[in-house]
Amino acid sequence: MTTETLAAGAVPAGESGAGRTHWWRDAVIYQVYIRSFADSDGDGVGDLPGIRSRLPYLAGLGVDALWITPFYLSPMADFGYDVADYRAVDPVFGTLDDFRDLLTDAHARGLRVIVDLVPNHTSDLHAWFVEALAAPEGSAARDRYIFRDGRGSRGELPPNDWESVFGGPAWTRTVDADGRPGQWYLHLFAPEQPDLNWELEEVRAEFLDVLRFWLDLGVDGFRIDVAHGMVKAPGLPDVGRADHVELIGNAVLPFFDQDGVHEIYRAWRVLLDSYPGERIGVAEAWAPTPERLANYVRPDELHQAFNFDFLAQPFQAGALRAAIDHSLATAGSVGAPSTWVLSNHDTKRHVTRYGGGAVGRARARAAALLMLALPGSAYVYQGEELGLPEVLDIPVEFLVDPQGIQSGDPAKGRDGCRVPLPWSGTVPPYGFGPAGSTASWLPAPASWSSLTIEAESGDPGSMLELYRSALALRRALPSLGAQTADSALMWLELPGAPEAVLAFRRGDRFVCMVNTGSEAVTLPAPGALLLASAAVPVLADSITLPADSAAWWRV
Ligand code: BGC
Ligand code: MG
């Protein structure tokens, strides 16, 4: 945190120009996957009043902002990422007034709120798509989406070879009013998520208006879903390869990361900047390289882009250091802060990615201290502060994620990182709902009773207390947080340290050390121990950093 950034208390209103706080440059942003955060009404699905009732927990954790995943009217084919009305709240999540109340209370606690915008596609039940299906070929209503004639003598083949991220062709054939097969429409995700035609001025104007709607309500920013997808290569050329398209990948494709997409963000930035209080845009963009990713955060575009390159690294010093250097250099080349992400609702939780069990937990603890010591903004996915693992054994009859179902491979499903958050008690769903409620849209494992917020609170060895301590120190130490000349990251080469050790300074007074190896390492004492992910023996002038651990020092 810089000193100008709000430490606690109300969000300052109306700052602009010289009064900018750049709060987002070093913010810790907590991702609320709304279905699974807290359920206020006992229907087994998390909701807006549930989040509101748990704001004291989030404020106490010490984060700066929340990003809430989509809560708009939706038939839930992709659990809210299929939006039927961008200006309405789905009844399962509450009402618009519930959102207003949540926003007011969050702001009163000094927490900013970022909402999720899904501009690449709508739901198939959005009024525009319903109208398009009923309208004739070549009509203005169809032109809002991407309808094309099929290939083959009778149009029986999809218009091109694009595959859906969720598996299978990215095209679905429609049926005309007379019952005969008609044109095809494009959906990069599920068939219930038709892609919009962003070449059309009307689509651009509509989304500017949707942004205004939420900005007028007072939101602090937007996480932009599939921010690299809206513009497609002219003529929709074939990919020309058979390998499957992954959302989480870095292939060069005719439907992702096209140069034309940046014009959209320039227009959005003008709108964001016209509001007081530094409203921000965060790109969920999967770009082929960190250089291409940096294009999304040029000064006249979005503020941040998720850094998935960091998430993709194994727990290995060399790989992490290379990703950190590359990210800082590329974001820095356009004057943007880096972001750091370890988990989200689309990827396997990092305790499990890092090996699971005791090793996975130890590494996740170390990774938390690494991430929170890096310059820039960090994202915490709900439950990572508890050390939740991926749930790998959800009974198949409970699996609901379209990515797992449509791909025909349950291992590709994302249900395992979306299991409701365990709050308290000893039996599932661990206080997720109101007292006495046993409803939970995905089942929580019987083994989570030691991983609840209640069980971990006050336990000095818990992941939760590690996050609380780290976040409190991050606020208190001027050298952490904002990427300024004084607090830039400087790698330290420690004499005698093996390659598995990472050490860096932030400013003059702070050092972070990480041992990614499987052997403890004895090193010269860098200063006074502030916080460690494992027990670190400190002797007069040497310290021992255990395997898979990290420590923060005051020099
Ligand atoms: C979201 C996913 C969603 C997809 C389609 C993503 O990037 O994070 O959860 O399935 O966009 O909207
Ligand atoms: Mg509910």
Side-chain angles (χ1 to χ4, degrees):
M1 307 282 302
T2 55
T3 42
E4 310 96 297
T5 312
L6 70 152
V11 172
E15 78 266 51
S16 64
R20 289 189 186 282
T21 62
H22 295 298
W23 67 270
W24 46 276
R25 295 188 71 91
D26 62 351
V28 178
I29 302 178
Y30 186 95
Q31 182 190 352
V32 173
Y33 187 74
I34 183 167
R35 286 187 79 80
S36 302
F37 185 70
D39 172 23
S40 71
D41 57 1
D43 66 354
V45 176
D47 44 48
L48 292 167
I51 302 173
R52 185 175 171 219
S53 72
R54 308 294 176 144
L55 287 174
Y57 168 70
L58 295 172
L61 184 60
V63 298
D64 301 295
L66 321 181
W67 145 35
I68 307 175
T69 57
F71 48 81
Y72 316 107
L73 189 72
S74 167
M76 305 289 164
D78 190 18
F79 300 103
Y81 284 98
D82 49 322
V83 179
D85 183 344
Y86 290 88
R87 297 175 185 81
V89 170
D90 195 279
V92 81
F93 297 131
T95 64
L96 204 51
D97 276 337
D98 290 334
F99 180 72
R100 286 195 184 95
D101 292 344
L102 167 59
L103 195 59
T104 304
D105 284 9
H107 283 171
R109 289 181 180 276
L111 292 166
R112 288 180 154 97
V113 177
I114 291 170
V115 295
D116 210 318
L117 187 75
V118 189
N120 179 68
H121 42 265
T122 69
S123 158
D124 61 335
L125 296 188
H126 188 284
W128 273 4
F129 195 70
V130 173
E131 190 187 340
L133 279 186
E137 291 180 16
S139 58
R142 286 220 167 171
D143 198 28
R144 294 183 183 125
Y145 292 88
I146 304 178
F147 281 86
R148 292 290 184 277
D149 293 332
R151 292 197 280 205
S153 57
R154 291 179 317 285
E156 73 280 13
L157 298 172
N160 68 21
D161 69 353
W162 295 3
E163 273 193 47
S164 153
V165 172
F166 290 162
W171 297 90
T172 289
R173 195 167 193 187
T174 60
V175 179
D176 285 338
D178 60 9
R180 282 196 242 164
Q183 286 190 302
W184 300 68
Y185 69 89
L186 178 71
H187 53 86
L188 293 181
F189 293 87
E192 296 88 350
Q193 293 168 297
D195 280 53
L196 283 163
N197 172 17
W198 274 85
E199 302 302 324
L200 202 65
E201 204 41 56
E202 186 189 6
V203 169
R204 295 185 183 220
E206 167 67 0
F207 274 86
L208 282 170
D209 204 58
V210 169
L211 288 168
R212 267 185 222 108
F213 178 86
W214 293 98
L215 289 167
D216 289 343
L217 275 174
V219 304
D220 298 287
F222 300 89
R223 176 261 189 192
I224 295 136
D225 187 65
V226 196
H228 56 315
M230 285 114 91
V231 172
K232 278 75 179 173
L236 313 183
D238 279 340
V239 172
R241 285 201 315 265
D243 49 336
H244 176 66
V245 173
E246 305 281 351
L247 174 62
I248 299 166
N250 42 24
V252 176
L253 295 161
F255 44 81
F256 281 159
D257 193 38
Q258 299 294 305
D259 289 335
V261 84
H262 297 288
E263 200 184 303
I264 299 169
Y265 299 129
R266 283 184 207 110
W268 288 12
R269 182 61 181 258
V270 171
L271 180 67
L272 291 171
D273 283 350
S274 75
Y275 279 79
E278 284 184 84
R279 320 292 178 98
I280 68 163
V282 184
E284 186 229 10
W286 298 86
T289 61
E291 285 76 10
R292 298 278 314 175
L293 187 65
N295 289 339
Y296 292 78
V297 290
R298 287 178 286 197
D300 58 347
E301 297 196 34
L302 300 172
H303 297 73
Q304 296 183 347
F306 294 127
N307 177 1
F308 295 122
D309 194 40
F310 181 66
L311 178 152
Q313 301 310 317
F315 188 73
Q316 199 252 319
L320 288 166
R321 178 168 169 167
I324 292 165
D325 279 340
H326 205 161
S327 305
L328 289 173
T330 49
S333 72
V334 293
S338 290
T339 65
W340 312 103
V341 186
L342 289 168
S343 280
N344 63 30
H345 67 295
D346 292 330
T347 49
K348 194 173 274 174
R349 283 187 177 276
H350 59 276
V351 164
T352 304
R353 282 203 325 268
Y354 290 157
V359 168
R361 272 179 75 78
R363 291 177 175 171
R365 290 174 64 84
L369 291 195
L370 169 62
M371 172 171 88
L372 294 173
L374 293 172
S377 178
Y379 280 79
V380 174
Y381 176 47
Q382 68 182 42
E384 83 173 60
E385 79 279 23
L386 303 174
L388 297 186
E390 184 82 0
V391 183
L392 297 169
D393 58 356
I394 300 177
V396 67
E397 63 272 22
F398 287 101
L399 298 178
V400 285
D401 177 32
Q403 182 159 296
I405 293 167
Q406 203 174 307
S407 66
D409 178 1
K412 290 204 168 133
R414 299 166 294 181
D415 298 303
C417 62
R418 299 175 174 182
V419 169
L421 201 63
W423 289 89
S424 59
T426 54
V427 287
Y430 306 106
F432 170 60
S437 169
T438 55
S440 151
W441 73 285
L442 286 173
S447 57
W448 278 11
S449 61
S450 59
L451 295 176
T452 66
I453 287 153
E454 182 181 55
E456 293 199 21
S457 292
D459 171 357
S462 72
M463 189 77 89
L464 179 55
E465 293 302 339
L466 182 72
Y467 270 79
R468 283 183 175 147
S469 302
L471 289 168
L473 276 172
R474 186 179 156 106
R475 275 174 188 249
L477 297 176
S479 41
L480 290 186
Q483 196 172 345
T484 63
D486 302 347
S487 66
L489 178 147
M490 276 208 19
W491 294 109
L492 300 174
E493 307 305 334
L494 304 176
E499 274 177 15
V501 170
L502 288 179
F504 59 88
R505 250 181 36 202
R506 297 285 314 282
D508 291 338
R509 305 216 48 207
F510 177 89
V511 165
C512 175
M513 285 181 178
V514 186
N515 179 8
T516 65
S518 52
E519 311 267 313
V521 179
T522 296
L523 295 164
L529 184 62
L530 287 166
L531 184 64
S533 70
V536 174
V538 180
L539 294 177
D541 51 8
S542 75
I543 60 112
T544 299
L545 202 57
D548 297 321
S549 75
W552 287 2
W553 307 88
R554 183 189 290 281
V555 181

